[in-house]
Amino acid sequence: MEIRELQAKAAQIRMDLLQMIFRAKTGHTGGSLSNTDIITALYYRIMNIDPAQPKAADRDRFILSKGHSVESLWAVLADKGFFEKEQLATFSQFGTKLIGHPNNKVPGIEMNTGALGHGLAVAVGMALAAKRDGVRYRTFCLMGDGEQAEGSVWEAAMAGAHYKLDNLIAIIDRNRLQISGSTEEVMGLDPLEDKWRAFGWNVMVIDGNDMQALIESLEAVPSVPGKPTLVMANTVKGKGVSFAENVPHWHHHVPNETELEQALTELSAVFEFYQTEGQGR
C-alpha cells in the first residue's frame, strides 16, 4: 500500500476497534488507538506474511508485548483475512477466541501475551533461532512505554545486543501515559533512547503516528549490521479521536453511544479524505 492508502486503512482500523470495544463493553481504547498506525504499517507494507500460510517457516514474526492493546491487532488480522471479519463481533464474549489479549489459538498470533515484560525476551529467542537456523525472517516486537519499567525488558535488551541480532526490531509505543497516569510520574523513563543506546541497540526516534516516518524507518532496518534496532515511536494515546487524545481516563474507557458516534464521524472524515487523495481526486 502507498502512504495515503495506509492512512485511510489506519482510520478504518480505528473505526473497527472502537465498535468492537463498544459492543463488548470492555477493552483498552487509548493504547489501541495510539498503536494503530504502527500495526497498520507493519501488516500492510513491511512484514512478509501470508494469511493463507500463517505458519510459513520464512514468515516475519510479530509479538504484541503490550498485549492489553490487542483490539487494533484483531481488527488488522481480520481485515487481512487471517480469520473472518464477522468474528470481531465476538470480541471478549463468552467462548470466543478473540479475548482481551493475543491468543495463539488464532491464526497469525505467535504467542499469548499480556504479562508485561515477556514479549521482548521471546522475540530475542525467535531472532536468535533464525540466525542459527539460517532463515531470513525478521522478528518485530511492539512494547508499551510503561512496560519499560519491567526488569525483564532490559535483560532481553542486553541479550539482543550480545547476540548481534540485527534481524530483531523492537518498537516502543511511546504515548507517555499508562493506567495510573504519566509514565514520568509513575516511573521516570527519560532519557529512554539513551538507555537503549547504552545497551548496544541502534535507536531511531520518530513520530509514531506519522505514516511516512514509520514506513521510512521500518523499511530501513536493519540499518546497522550486527545491532538490533529500537524504534522509539512517539505517539498520542487515543490518537484519532479528538476528545480521547492524551486523556489518561481513556486507557480502558468504553465509549458510550454519543462518544462512539462522534468518534466514528471524525474517523470517517479522515478515511474519506485519504481515500480520495489516494485515488488522485
Side-chain angles (χ1 to χ4, degrees), residues 66-208:
K66 51 172 295 184
H68 56 283
S69 295
V70 72
E71 292 86 356
S72 49
L73 180 57
W74 287 144
V76 166
L77 290 177
D79 190 66
K80 291 287 294 183
F82 283 90
F83 55 86
E84 293 181 356
K85 198 165 185 177
E86 289 73 21
Q87 291 187 39
L88 294 180
T90 72
F91 170 64
S92 283
Q93 303 300 311
F94 179 76
T96 186
K97 292 181 180 179
L98 304 186
I99 57 177
H101 293 82
N103 168 22
N104 65 5
K105 302 298 184 184
V106 179
I109 299 295
E110 300 291 345
M111 67 172 287
N112 297 349
T113 57
L116 295 176
H118 293 181
L120 186 62
V122 175
V124 166
M126 290 178 172
L128 182 59
K131 288 282 188 182
R132 293 187 170 178
D133 291 344
V135 183
R136 294 178 61 84
Y137 67 77
R138 298 167 299 171
T139 300
F140 297 84
C141 178
L142 177 57
M143 298 179 285
D145 48 8
E147 186 175 1
Q148 305 306 295
E150 299 282 354
S152 52
V153 169
W154 299 100
E155 294 177 56
M158 185 164 53
H162 174 78
Y163 290 110
K164 304 182 187 306
L165 300 179
D166 53 14
N167 58 346
L168 173 62
I169 302 95
I171 307 167
I172 298 176
D173 182 12
R174 184 72 166 118
N175 59 41
R176 296 183 175 269
L177 291 174
Q178 57 191 101
I179 189 170
S180 49
S182 161
T183 56
E184 300 314 295
E185 293 174 345
V186 176
M187 181 62 67
L189 299 174
D190 284 331
L192 188 53
E193 57 264 33
D194 292 342
K195 294 173 182 177
W196 280 89
R197 289 190 181 100
F199 271 70
W201 286 58
N202 169 48
V203 176
M204 308 168 75
V205 182
I206 65 167
D207 180 343

Side-chain angles (χ1 to χ4, degrees), residues 36 80 134 210 277:
T36 294
K80 291 287 294 183
D210 182 329
E277 289 292 308

Side-chain angles (χ1 to χ4, degrees), residues 30 33-34 174-177 181-182 209 234-251:
L33 289 169
S34 71
R174 184 72 166 118
N175 59 41
R176 296 183 175 269
L177 291 174
S182 161
N209 294 130
N234 290 308
T235 62
V236 175
K237 196 153 191 170
K239 180 68 177 178
V241 178
S242 62
F243 50 91
E245 292 186 354
N246 284 321
V247 179
H249 173 64
W250 277 80
H251 179 85

Side-chain angles (χ1 to χ4, degrees), residues 2-9 273-275 277-279:
E2 298 302 316
I3 299 299
R4 292 283 183 172
E5 294 174 303
L6 291 167
Q7 290 164 321
K9 180 60 68 176
F273 171 78
Y274 285 123
Q275 189 177 54
E277 289 292 308
Q279 293 171 352

